[in-house]
Amino acid sequence: MAAARVIVSVSSSSFLLFKAAATPLLRTNMLKPCFNTHNNRFVSSKRFFTCTALYKPHFQIKEEGQPETLDYRVFFVDNSGKKVSPWHDIPLHVGDGTFNFIVEIPKESSAKMEVATDEIYTPIKQDTKKGKLRYYPYNINWNYGLLPQTWEDPSLANNDVDGAFGDNDPVDVVEIGESRANVGQLMKVKPLGCLAMIDEGELDWKIVAISLDDPRASRVNDVDDVEKHFPGTLMAIRDWFRDYKIPDGKPANKFGLGNKAANKDYALKVIAETNESWSKLVKRSIPAGELSLV
C-alpha cells in the first residue's frame, strides 16, 4: 500500500481542512440521537475549503493509497492525528433545521465511492464487485453522499413503503446545488424532500437537499420550491436512480410513496427515525453484524 498522505495547508491548492466550533468530539458510546421524539471517473481534487461543525478540533482528510485502486481510502483524522469515523463521530444536526452532509461522490463523476461501513473508522473507498472497482454507467449529476449518525435498519419494516426493510446503510443525500464538491467534503444542507427507492426489495431513502452556500438556497425550502427553481430536477433524480442498473442487465429500481418525492416534513421524519435507529445500533441494542461501530 502506498504511504499515507495528510493534506493540510493554508494555500488555495490544498484539500479539506475543517474549521470547527465549540463542542468537543464525543465517543460513539456516549452519543445520543440529534432529535427528541476530463473523463467521467474519479479525479482526486485538492481544492481548499472550510466547514463549521459541532466539535472543537480541526479535522483533516488523510488519503491512503492511490485513487482508483483497491487500496485507496479517505480517512478523517482529528488534530492529534487520531482517526475518527465520518459515519459515527460527525454530528448529524447542526441546528436551525440544517444537517451535516458528507460527500462521497462529487457531481459529474462516476466512480462509486462510499463509506466503508464494515471497516474500522469507516473510511470512504471505491466500491467493488467481484474484485473490480465499480463505476456508474454514466455520471451522477448531483453531489451524493450520506447523513452521518443515521442508519436504515434491515430488521425494521416500513409500513408506508410496502413493508420494505432498510438497506443496512446510512441515509443517502442528493445535494442539488450548483457547486461541485470534493470526496469527503462536509457540507451544511437543508432537506427539501425525499424519495423512497426500493432496490431489490430493500428501502433506500434518497433525501433531496441543498447546500446552505448555494445562491438559491434561501428560495428553496420544500419540494414545490425545487420544481419552481430547479425545474425537472426531482423527476431527473428519480429517473437516474430508477435506471442506473439497467445497463448491467438488472431491472429498474422501484419507488414507493406514489412514485413521487415526499415533502420536507416527511424527509425530516425519515431523518429522525433513522437517527434513532443509528442510536440503538451504536448502543448495541440492535446486533451490528459486520458493521463497524468505531
Side-chain angles (χ1 to χ4, degrees):
M1 181 180 293
R5 294 175 289 164
V6 180
I7 306 170
V8 187
S9 174
V10 296
S11 74
S12 60
S13 63
S14 300
F15 184 42
L16 304 185
L17 174 67
F18 295 128
K19 180 182 178 183
T23 306
L25 177 69
L26 302 178
R27 296 307 311 148
T28 53
N29 60 4
M30 299 171 62
L31 289 165
K32 297 180 180 180
C34 300
F35 291 88
N36 291 326
T37 50
H38 109 265
N39 53 33
N40 296 338
R41 296 187 172 187
F42 169 59
V43 177
S44 179
S45 176
K46 298 183 180 181
R47 295 163 61 185
F48 176 81
F49 66 93
T50 61
C51 308
T52 302
L54 293 183
Y55 32 73
K56 186 175 181 180
H58 286 187
F59 284 81
Q60 305 148 19
I61 292 300
K62 179 182 180 183
E63 294 178 290
E64 294 186 359
Q66 295 296 320
E68 297 192 89
T69 68
L70 295 174
D71 293 332
Y72 183 64
R73 298 292 185 275
V74 177
F75 286 96
F76 286 64
V77 299
D78 64 18
N79 61 345
S80 70
K82 176 178 172 54
K83 291 177 179 175
V84 297
S85 167
W87 181 19
H88 301 308
D89 291 325
I90 291 180
L92 169 63
H93 203 290
V94 295
D96 298 326
T98 62
F99 299 85
N100 279 320
F101 159 54
I102 301 165
V103 178
E104 295 167 305
I105 306 173
K107 68 187 298 184
E108 306 307 333
S109 66
S110 66
K112 194 176 185 302
M113 309 297 293
E114 63 179 18
V115 163
T117 58
D118 59 348
E119 296 184 12
I120 189 169
Y121 302 120
T122 64
I124 297 174
K125 68 171 186 178
Q126 189 167 349
D127 191 22
T128 60
K129 183 177 182 179
K130 296 181 179 179
K132 295 183 179 181
L133 298 172
R134 290 187 65 187
Y135 295 87
Y136 290 124
Y138 32 72
N139 281 0
I140 190 166
N141 306 125
W142 312 274
N143 295 311
Y144 185 59
L146 73 141
L147 290 175
Q149 299 185 351
T150 61
W151 180 57
E152 298 178 55
D153 185 350
S155 69
L156 187 65
N158 190 299
N159 293 329
D160 290 350
V161 191
D162 303 324
F165 292 86
D167 72 347
N168 203 32
D169 281 325
V171 171
D172 296 326
V173 173
V174 183
E175 193 279 314
I176 64 174
E178 64 181 33
S179 296
R180 183 182 188 273
N182 300 302
V183 175
Q185 184 168 339
L186 182 65
M187 305 175 75
K188 288 183 179 179
V189 299
K190 58 180 178 180
L192 306 171
C194 64
L195 287 159
M197 190 176 91
I198 303 173
D199 182 354
E200 298 182 12
E202 295 180 335
L203 180 56
D204 187 2
W205 289 107
K206 307 299 179 187
I207 303 294
V208 180
I210 190 166
S211 168
L212 297 188
D213 293 330
D214 190 83
R216 287 178 281 184
S218 63
R219 291 174 279 169
V220 186
N221 297 291
D222 214 321
V223 286
D224 292 338
D225 298 326
V226 177
E227 192 57 37
K228 179 179 179 180
H229 296 284
F230 296 81
T233 295
L234 292 172
M235 182 179 295
I237 293 171
R238 184 199 64 195
D239 292 354
W240 196 99
F241 283 100
R242 181 192 65 196
D243 298 340
Y244 80 92
K245 290 187 175 182
I246 293 177
D248 293 331
K250 294 186 176 181
N253 288 320
K254 299 179 180 180
F255 290 85
L257 306 179
N259 207 37
K260 296 180 180 179
N263 64 16
K264 177 179 181 175
D265 286 343
Y266 198 98
L268 292 174
K269 174 177 175 286
V270 169
I271 295 170
E273 290 174 350
T274 54
N275 175 240
E276 177 66 25
S277 292
W278 169 86
S279 177
K280 293 176 180 178
L281 176 69
V282 296
K283 290 176 181 176
R284 293 171 172 78
S285 300
I286 298 175
E290 296 181 357
L291 298 175
S292 173
L293 302 184
V294 177

mmCIF file with all atom_site columns, all heavy atoms in Angstrom, residues 48-63:
data_model
loop_
_atom_site.group_PDB
_atom_site.id
_atom_site.type_symbol
_atom_site.label_atom_id
_atom_site.label_alt_id
_atom_site.label_comp_id
_atom_site.label_asym_id
_atom_site.label_entity_id
_atom_site.label_seq_id
_atom_site.pdbx_PDB_ins_code
_atom_site.Cartn_x
_atom_site.Cartn_y
_atom_site.Cartn_z
_atom_site.occupancy
_atom_site.B_iso_or_equiv
_atom_site.pdbx_formal_charge
_atom_site.auth_seq_id
_atom_site.auth_comp_id
_atom_site.auth_asym_id
_atom_site.auth_atom_id
_atom_site.pdbx_PDB_model_num
ATOM 1   N N   . PHE A 1 48 ? -9.143  23.848 -1.578 1.00 0.00 ? 48 PHE A N   1
ATOM 2   C CA  . PHE A 1 48 ? -9.297  24.201 -0.173 1.00 0.00 ? 48 PHE A CA  1
ATOM 3   C C   . PHE A 1 48 ? -10.722 24.640 0.129  1.00 0.00 ? 48 PHE A C   1
ATOM 4   O O   . PHE A 1 48 ? -11.347 25.338 -0.650 1.00 0.00 ? 48 PHE A O   1
ATOM 5   C CB  . PHE A 1 48 ? -8.333  25.340 0.153  1.00 0.00 ? 48 PHE A CB  1
ATOM 6   C CG  . PHE A 1 48 ? -8.469  25.868 1.555  1.00 0.00 ? 48 PHE A CG  1
ATOM 7   C CD1 . PHE A 1 48 ? -7.857  25.199 2.599  1.00 0.00 ? 48 PHE A CD1 1
ATOM 8   C CD2 . PHE A 1 48 ? -9.184  27.016 1.811  1.00 0.00 ? 48 PHE A CD2 1
ATOM 9   C CE1 . PHE A 1 48 ? -7.964  25.688 3.883  1.00 0.00 ? 48 PHE A CE1 1
ATOM 10  C CE2 . PHE A 1 48 ? -9.297  27.503 3.096  1.00 0.00 ? 48 PHE A CE2 1
ATOM 11  C CZ  . PHE A 1 48 ? -8.690  26.847 4.142  1.00 0.00 ? 48 PHE A CZ  1
ATOM 12  N N   . PHE A 1 49 ? -11.249 24.221 1.271  1.00 0.00 ? 49 PHE A N   1
ATOM 13  C CA  . PHE A 1 49 ? -12.496 24.777 1.752  1.00 0.00 ? 49 PHE A CA  1
ATOM 14  C C   . PHE A 1 49 ? -12.549 24.590 3.253  1.00 0.00 ? 49 PHE A C   1
ATOM 15  O O   . PHE A 1 49 ? -11.811 23.809 3.832  1.00 0.00 ? 49 PHE A O   1
ATOM 16  C CB  . PHE A 1 49 ? -13.708 24.111 1.081  1.00 0.00 ? 49 PHE A CB  1
ATOM 17  C CG  . PHE A 1 49 ? -13.866 22.665 1.450  1.00 0.00 ? 49 PHE A CG  1
ATOM 18  C CD1 . PHE A 1 49 ? -14.660 22.293 2.507  1.00 0.00 ? 49 PHE A CD1 1
ATOM 19  C CD2 . PHE A 1 49 ? -13.189 21.692 0.735  1.00 0.00 ? 49 PHE A CD2 1
ATOM 20  C CE1 . PHE A 1 49 ? -14.784 20.961 2.853  1.00 0.00 ? 49 PHE A CE1 1
ATOM 21  C CE2 . PHE A 1 49 ? -13.324 20.366 1.079  1.00 0.00 ? 49 PHE A CE2 1
ATOM 22  C CZ  . PHE A 1 49 ? -14.115 20.003 2.134  1.00 0.00 ? 49 PHE A CZ  1
ATOM 23  N N   . THR A 1 50 ? -13.436 25.313 3.919  1.00 0.00 ? 50 THR A N   1
ATOM 24  C CA  . THR A 1 50 ? -13.645 25.151 5.350  1.00 0.00 ? 50 THR A CA  1
ATOM 25  C C   . THR A 1 50 ? -15.122 24.916 5.617  1.00 0.00 ? 50 THR A C   1
ATOM 26  O O   . THR A 1 50 ? -15.982 25.346 4.874  1.00 0.00 ? 50 THR A O   1
ATOM 27  C CB  . THR A 1 50 ? -13.187 26.390 6.147  1.00 0.00 ? 50 THR A CB  1
ATOM 28  O OG1 . THR A 1 50 ? -13.963 27.512 5.702  1.00 0.00 ? 50 THR A OG1 1
ATOM 29  C CG2 . THR A 1 50 ? -11.718 26.671 5.925  1.00 0.00 ? 50 THR A CG2 1
ATOM 30  N N   . CYS A 1 51 ? -15.387 24.212 6.690  1.00 0.00 ? 51 CYS A N   1
ATOM 31  C CA  . CYS A 1 51 ? -16.762 23.973 7.116  1.00 0.00 ? 51 CYS A CA  1
ATOM 32  C C   . CYS A 1 51 ? -16.795 24.091 8.627  1.00 0.00 ? 51 CYS A C   1
ATOM 33  O O   . CYS A 1 51 ? -15.827 23.773 9.298  1.00 0.00 ? 51 CYS A O   1
ATOM 34  C CB  . CYS A 1 51 ? -17.229 22.572 6.749  1.00 0.00 ? 51 CYS A CB  1
ATOM 35  S SG  . CYS A 1 51 ? -16.987 22.130 5.033  1.00 0.00 ? 51 CYS A SG  1
ATOM 36  N N   . THR A 1 52 ? -17.889 24.524 9.184  1.00 0.00 ? 52 THR A N   1
ATOM 37  C CA  . THR A 1 52 ? -18.054 24.582 10.629 1.00 0.00 ? 52 THR A CA  1
ATOM 38  C C   . THR A 1 52 ? -18.855 23.388 11.086 1.00 0.00 ? 52 THR A C   1
ATOM 39  O O   . THR A 1 52 ? -19.911 23.117 10.551 1.00 0.00 ? 52 THR A O   1
ATOM 40  C CB  . THR A 1 52 ? -18.763 25.873 11.042 1.00 0.00 ? 52 THR A CB  1
ATOM 41  O OG1 . THR A 1 52 ? -17.998 26.979 10.581 1.00 0.00 ? 52 THR A OG1 1
ATOM 42  C CG2 . THR A 1 52 ? -18.890 25.967 12.549 1.00 0.00 ? 52 THR A CG2 1
ATOM 43  N N   . ALA A 1 53 ? -18.339 22.661 12.053 1.00 0.00 ? 53 ALA A N   1
ATOM 44  C CA  . ALA A 1 53 ? -19.047 21.509 12.594 1.00 0.00 ? 53 ALA A CA  1
ATOM 45  C C   . ALA A 1 53 ? -19.247 21.695 14.093 1.00 0.00 ? 53 ALA A C   1
ATOM 46  O O   . ALA A 1 53 ? -18.927 22.754 14.633 1.00 0.00 ? 53 ALA A O   1
ATOM 47  C CB  . ALA A 1 53 ? -18.271 20.235 12.294 1.00 0.00 ? 53 ALA A CB  1
ATOM 48  N N   . LEU A 1 54 ? -19.753 20.670 14.771 1.00 0.00 ? 54 LEU A N   1
ATOM 49  C CA  . LEU A 1 54 ? -20.123 20.807 16.171 1.00 0.00 ? 54 LEU A CA  1
ATOM 50  C C   . LEU A 1 54 ? -19.063 20.294 17.131 1.00 0.00 ? 54 LEU A C   1
ATOM 51  O O   . LEU A 1 54 ? -19.373 19.845 18.201 1.00 0.00 ? 54 LEU A O   1
ATOM 52  C CB  . LEU A 1 54 ? -21.429 20.054 16.429 1.00 0.00 ? 54 LEU A CB  1
ATOM 53  C CG  . LEU A 1 54 ? -22.661 20.635 15.752 1.00 0.00 ? 54 LEU A CG  1
ATOM 54  C CD1 . LEU A 1 54 ? -23.884 19.830 16.148 1.00 0.00 ? 54 LEU A CD1 1
ATOM 55  C CD2 . LEU A 1 54 ? -22.847 22.076 16.137 1.00 0.00 ? 54 LEU A CD2 1
ATOM 56  N N   . TYR A 1 55 ? -17.814 20.358 16.764 1.00 0.00 ? 55 TYR A N   1
ATOM 57  C CA  . TYR A 1 55 ? -16.776 19.875 17.647 1.00 0.00 ? 55 TYR A CA  1
ATOM 58  C C   . TYR A 1 55 ? -15.588 20.820 17.564 1.00 0.00 ? 55 TYR A C   1
ATOM 59  O O   . TYR A 1 55 ? -15.445 21.592 16.635 1.00 0.00 ? 55 TYR A O   1
ATOM 60  C CB  . TYR A 1 55 ? -16.354 18.445 17.297 1.00 0.00 ? 55 TYR A CB  1
ATOM 61  C CG  . TYR A 1 55 ? -16.466 18.137 15.835 1.00 0.00 ? 55 TYR A CG  1
ATOM 62  C CD1 . TYR A 1 55 ? -15.567 18.666 14.917 1.00 0.00 ? 55 TYR A CD1 1
ATOM 63  C CD2 . TYR A 1 55 ? -17.498 17.348 15.361 1.00 0.00 ? 55 TYR A CD2 1
ATOM 64  C CE1 . TYR A 1 55 ? -15.677 18.412 13.574 1.00 0.00 ? 55 TYR A CE1 1
ATOM 65  C CE2 . TYR A 1 55 ? -17.613 17.086 14.008 1.00 0.00 ? 55 TYR A CE2 1
ATOM 66  C CZ  . TYR A 1 55 ? -16.695 17.618 13.126 1.00 0.00 ? 55 TYR A CZ  1
ATOM 67  O OH  . TYR A 1 55 ? -16.825 17.355 11.789 1.00 0.00 ? 55 TYR A OH  1
ATOM 68  N N   . LYS A 1 56 ? -14.739 20.724 18.572 1.00 0.00 ? 56 LYS A N   1
ATOM 69  C CA  . LYS A 1 56 ? -13.692 21.730 18.727 1.00 0.00 ? 56 LYS A CA  1
ATOM 70  C C   . LYS A 1 56 ? -12.472 21.523 17.847 1.00 0.00 ? 56 LYS A C   1
ATOM 71  O O   . LYS A 1 56 ? -11.960 22.477 17.274 1.00 0.00 ? 56 LYS A O   1
ATOM 72  C CB  . LYS A 1 56 ? -13.276 21.780 20.199 1.00 0.00 ? 56 LYS A CB  1
ATOM 73  C CG  . LYS A 1 56 ? -12.286 22.887 20.514 1.00 0.00 ? 56 LYS A CG  1
ATOM 74  C CD  . LYS A 1 56 ? -12.024 22.924 22.007 1.00 0.00 ? 56 LYS A CD  1
ATOM 75  C CE  . LYS A 1 56 ? -11.050 24.026 22.365 1.00 0.00 ? 56 LYS A CE  1
ATOM 76  N NZ  . LYS A 1 56 ? -10.787 24.071 23.810 1.00 0.00 ? 56 LYS A NZ  1
ATOM 77  N N   . PRO A 1 57 ? -11.914 20.305 17.731 1.00 0.00 ? 57 PRO A N   1
ATOM 78  C CA  . PRO A 1 57 ? -10.651 20.165 16.999 1.00 0.00 ? 57 PRO A CA  1
ATOM 79  C C   . PRO A 1 57 ? -10.800 20.445 15.513 1.00 0.00 ? 57 PRO A C   1
ATOM 80  O O   . PRO A 1 57 ? -11.902 20.429 14.959 1.00 0.00 ? 57 PRO A O   1
ATOM 81  C CB  . PRO A 1 57 ? -10.282 18.684 17.227 1.00 0.00 ? 57 PRO A CB  1
ATOM 82  C CG  . PRO A 1 57 ? -11.134 18.228 18.351 1.00 0.00 ? 57 PRO A CG  1
ATOM 83  C CD  . PRO A 1 57 ? -12.373 19.035 18.266 1.00 0.00 ? 57 PRO A CD  1
ATOM 84  N N   . HIS A 1 58 ? -9.694  20.695 14.838 1.00 0.00 ? 58 HIS A N   1
ATOM 85  C CA  . HIS A 1 58 ? -9.667  20.783 13.383 1.00 0.00 ? 58 HIS A CA  1
ATOM 86  C C   . HIS A 1 58 ? -9.501  19.383 12.823 1.00 0.00 ? 58 HIS A C   1
ATOM 87  O O   . HIS A 1 58 ? -8.634  18.638 13.249 1.00 0.00 ? 58 HIS A O   1
ATOM 88  C CB  . HIS A 1 58 ? -8.498  21.667 12.928 1.00 0.00 ? 58 HIS A CB  1
ATOM 89  C CG  . HIS A 1 58 ? -8.744  23.118 13.172 1.00 0.00 ? 58 HIS A CG  1
ATOM 90  N ND1 . HIS A 1 58 ? -7.896  24.097 12.721 1.00 0.00 ? 58 HIS A ND1 1
ATOM 91  C CD2 . HIS A 1 58 ? -9.749  23.774 13.807 1.00 0.00 ? 58 HIS A CD2 1
ATOM 92  C CE1 . HIS A 1 58 ? -8.351  25.280 13.076 1.00 0.00 ? 58 HIS A CE1 1
ATOM 93  N NE2 . HIS A 1 58 ? -9.467  25.103 13.736 1.00 0.00 ? 58 HIS A NE2 1
ATOM 94  N N   . PHE A 1 59 ? -10.331 19.065 11.850 1.00 0.00 ? 59 PHE A N   1
ATOM 95  C CA  . PHE A 1 59 ? -10.270 17.751 11.239 1.00 0.00 ? 59 PHE A CA  1
ATOM 96  C C   . PHE A 1 59 ? -9.692  17.846 9.842  1.00 0.00 ? 59 PHE A C   1
ATOM 97  O O   . PHE A 1 59 ? -9.850  18.848 9.160  1.00 0.00 ? 59 PHE A O   1
ATOM 98  C CB  . PHE A 1 59 ? -11.661 17.106 11.198 1.00 0.00 ? 59 PHE A CB  1
ATOM 99  C CG  . PHE A 1 59 ? -12.076 16.584 12.528 1.00 0.00 ? 59 PHE A CG  1
ATOM 100 C CD1 . PHE A 1 59 ? -12.598 17.427 13.482 1.00 0.00 ? 59 PHE A CD1 1
ATOM 101 C CD2 . PHE A 1 59 ? -11.898 15.254 12.850 1.00 0.00 ? 59 PHE A CD2 1
ATOM 102 C CE1 . PHE A 1 59 ? -12.954 16.965 14.728 1.00 0.00 ? 59 PHE A CE1 1
ATOM 103 C CE2 . PHE A 1 59 ? -12.253 14.773 14.092 1.00 0.00 ? 59 PHE A CE2 1
ATOM 104 C CZ  . PHE A 1 59 ? -12.786 15.631 15.035 1.00 0.00 ? 59 PHE A CZ  1
ATOM 105 N N   . GLN A 1 60 ? -9.034  16.791 9.453  1.00 0.00 ? 60 GLN A N   1
ATOM 106 C CA  . GLN A 1 60 ? -8.380  16.754 8.160  1.00 0.00 ? 60 GLN A CA  1
ATOM 107 C C   . GLN A 1 60 ? -8.739  15.464 7.446  1.00 0.00 ? 60 GLN A C   1
ATOM 108 O O   . GLN A 1 60 ? -9.243  14.527 8.047  1.00 0.00 ? 60 GLN A O   1
ATOM 109 C CB  . GLN A 1 60 ? -6.849  16.823 8.344  1.00 0.00 ? 60 GLN A CB  1
ATOM 110 C CG  . GLN A 1 60 ? -6.370  18.019 9.138  1.00 0.00 ? 60 GLN A CG  1
ATOM 111 C CD  . GLN A 1 60 ? -5.116  17.703 9.940  1.00 0.00 ? 60 GLN A CD  1
ATOM 112 O OE1 . GLN A 1 60 ? -4.411  16.744 9.660  1.00 0.00 ? 60 GLN A OE1 1
ATOM 113 N NE2 . GLN A 1 60 ? -4.853  18.509 10.951 1.00 0.00 ? 60 GLN A NE2 1
ATOM 114 N N   . ILE A 1 61 ? -8.500  15.467 6.172  1.00 0.00 ? 61 ILE A N   1
ATOM 115 C CA  . ILE A 1 61 ? -8.654  14.263 5.368  1.00 0.00 ? 61 ILE A CA  1
ATOM 116 C C   . ILE A 1 61 ? -7.281  13.622 5.182  1.00 0.00 ? 61 ILE A C   1
ATOM 117 O O   . ILE A 1 61 ? -6.313  14.301 4.853  1.00 0.00 ? 61 ILE A O   1
ATOM 118 C CB  . ILE A 1 61 ? -9.250  14.606 3.990  1.00 0.00 ? 61 ILE A CB  1
ATOM 119 C CG1 . ILE A 1 61 ? -10.694 15.062 4.143  1.00 0.00 ? 61 ILE A CG1 1
ATOM 120 C CG2 . ILE A 1 61 ? -9.182  13.410 3.051  1.00 0.00 ? 61 ILE A CG2 1
ATOM 121 C CD1 . ILE A 1 61 ? -11.603 14.044 4.772  1.00 0.00 ? 61 ILE A CD1 1
ATOM 122 N N   . LYS A 1 62 ? -7.210  12.326 5.393  1.00 0.00 ? 62 LYS A N   1
ATOM 123 C CA  . LYS A 1 62 ? -5.968  11.584 5.232  1.00 0.00 ? 62 LYS A CA  1
ATOM 124 C C   . LYS A 1 62 ? -6.190  10.525 4.163  1.00 0.00 ? 62 LYS A C   1
ATOM 125 O O   . LYS A 1 62 ? -6.980  9.600  4.346  1.00 0.00 ? 62 LYS A O   1
ATOM 126 C CB  . LYS A 1 62 ? -5.555  10.937 6.554  1.00 0.00 ? 62 LYS A CB  1
ATOM 127 C CG  . LYS A 1 62 ? -4.275  10.116 6.475  1.00 0.00 ? 62 LYS A CG  1
ATOM 128 C CD  . LYS A 1 62 ? -3.971  9.484  7.828  1.00 0.00 ? 62 LYS A CD  1
ATOM 129 C CE  . LYS A 1 62 ? -2.703  8.655  7.786  1.00 0.00 ? 62 LYS A CE  1
ATOM 130 N NZ  . LYS A 1 62 ? -2.456  7.991  9.089  1.00 0.00 ? 62 LYS A NZ  1
ATOM 131 N N   . GLU A 1 63 ? -5.516  10.664 3.045  1.00 0.00 ? 63 GLU A N   1
ATOM 132 C CA  . GLU A 1 63 ? -5.619  9.690  1.961  1.00 0.00 ? 63 GLU A CA  1
ATOM 133 C C   . GLU A 1 63 ? -4.584  8.577  2.150  1.00 0.00 ? 63 GLU A C   1
ATOM 134 O O   . GLU A 1 63 ? -3.428  8.856  2.474  1.00 0.00 ? 63 GLU A O   1
ATOM 135 C CB  . GLU A 1 63 ? -5.365  10.358 0.617  1.00 0.00 ? 63 GLU A CB  1
ATOM 136 C CG  . GLU A 1 63 ? -6.401  11.381 0.208  1.00 0.00 ? 63 GLU A CG  1
ATOM 137 C CD  . GLU A 1 63 ? -6.031  12.021 -1.116 1.00 0.00 ? 63 GLU A CD  1
ATOM 138 O OE1 . GLU A 1 63 ? -5.047  12.796 -1.128 1.00 0.00 ? 63 GLU A OE1 1
ATOM 139 O OE2 . GLU A 1 63 ? -6.701  11.732 -2.131 1.00 0.00 ? 63 GLU A OE2 1
#
